[in-house]
Amino acid sequence: QKEVEQNSGPLSVPEGAIASLNCTYSDRGSQSFFWYRQYSGKSPELIMSIYSNGDKEDGRFTAQLNKASQYVSLLIRDSQPSDSATYLCAVNSPGAQKLVFGQGTRLTINP
Amino acid sequence: DAGITQSPRHKVTETGTPVTLRCHQTENHRYMYWYRQDPGHGLRLIHYSYGVKDTDKGEVSDGYSVSRSKTEDFLLTLESATSSQTSVYFCAVAPGQGNGQPQHFGDGTRLSIL
């Protein structure tokens, strides 16, 4: 069983709509959660970090964390074609300075 | 910019040859990592380092070795490259201020083993 699971997509969203990306994790001891964006042929880029239950907003991005249900999500408001990328969810491995990555969700924003 | 440089950026080599990839950082971060990324598998940890001469294995360490003789450099070596090691390799770094810090990635090395 995978430790961090994401729907691989592709997820197709019209321009201007809200894109919703979801991630579940298996280790209840995890305390740190990250979203990375990866454009085709490029390296992963950190876009959001969240450590506490609830919502964290940064511009058009909102990360949501629910530790009881073991899921973390990323909302992208007013989606733009430039948001088309693969989004990776990463969760810390308790007791070690390591991250476990999901396989990523490929998001396409249609003009 | 996390000040990470990977070299080479691209390499094509033959099966059975040794290959060394270099990761260089300028921010004096304690932790350094090597990942490989393949379609259908996502990012998989090969080895990581938590200080000079301190390294540990990740989930896909067979066929790879690492060395860290200086804080700023982390080397990944394929002693005898195989076609299954064709992949994109990413180096990442993280500060040492406690568990659960985000990692920042270099630009990657595209390695082809023929």
Side-chain angles (χ1 to χ4, degrees):
Chain A
Q1 182 178 354
K2 294 182 181 176
E3 298 179 50
V4 179
E5 296 209 35
Q6 297 180 253
N7 187 326
S8 62
L11 176 65
S12 185
V13 173
E15 183 175 358
I18 296 175
S20 178
L21 305 164
N22 299 312
C23 170
T24 59
Y25 61 95
S26 61
D27 195 326
R28 286 194 171 274
S30 296
Q31 297 292 325
S32 305
F33 308 87
F34 308 100
W35 284 99
Y36 288 82
R37 177 177 62 199
Q38 187 175 23
Y39 293 116
S40 180
K42 301 296 186 181
S43 61
E45 173 193 9
L46 179 70
I47 56 171
M48 290 289 284
S49 304
I50 187 166
Y51 303 93
S52 304
N53 276 332
D55 295 0
K56 179 181 178 182
E57 187 174 317
D58 184 359
R60 295 186 296 112
F61 298 97
T62 298
Q64 300 175 317
L65 175 61
N66 184 322
K67 291 184 180 179
S69 300
Q70 294 177 250
Y71 83 78
V72 56
S73 62
L74 180 70
L75 301 178
I76 307 174
R77 292 183 301 280
D78 187 23
S79 297
Q80 302 297 309
S82 59
D83 294 325
S84 297
T86 296
Y87 289 80
L88 303 171
C89 172
V91 177
N92 82 294
S93 183
Q97 181 62 2
K98 296 190 292 185
L99 297 179
V100 180
F101 286 83
Q103 289 200 17
T105 298
R106 187 155 58 94
L107 174 66
T108 299
I109 306 301
N110 300 307
Chain B
D1 183 3
I4 306 166
T5 304
Q6 290 188 233
S7 59
R9 293 294 314 281
H10 303 272
K11 187 173 182 66
V12 180
T13 190
E14 295 183 346
T15 300
T17 61
V19 177
T20 295
L21 308 182
R22 181 185 185 230
C23 178
H24 178 80
Q25 57 135 336
T26 60
E27 301 293 326
N28 206 37
H29 290 308
R30 178 181 176 186
Y31 294 92
M32 300 185 75
Y33 307 83
W34 278 108
Y35 293 90
R36 61 178 290 175
Q37 187 173 42
D38 306 286
H41 291 280
L43 279 165
R44 292 183 292 175
L45 182 65
I46 304 171
H47 282 281
Y48 69 104
S49 171
Y50 46 96
V52 173
K53 300 190 187 305
D54 292 324
T55 65
D56 205 351
K57 296 179 180 179
E59 62 180 304
V60 289
S61 59
D62 287 349
Y64 301 94
S65 63
V66 291
S67 66
R68 192 171 179 197
S69 58
K70 298 185 290 185
T71 298
E72 58 266 35
D73 288 326
F74 192 32
L75 304 180
L76 177 70
T77 297
L78 292 66
E79 299 289 349
S80 178
T82 68
S83 58
S84 65
Q85 294 175 311
T86 291
S87 187
V88 179
Y89 291 84
F90 288 104
C91 174
V93 301
Q97 292 109 340
N99 195 15
Q101 295 298 310
Q103 296 175 14
H104 300 277
F105 287 81
D107 290 336
T109 294
R110 188 171 297 274
L111 178 63
S112 296
I113 315 294
L114 305 178

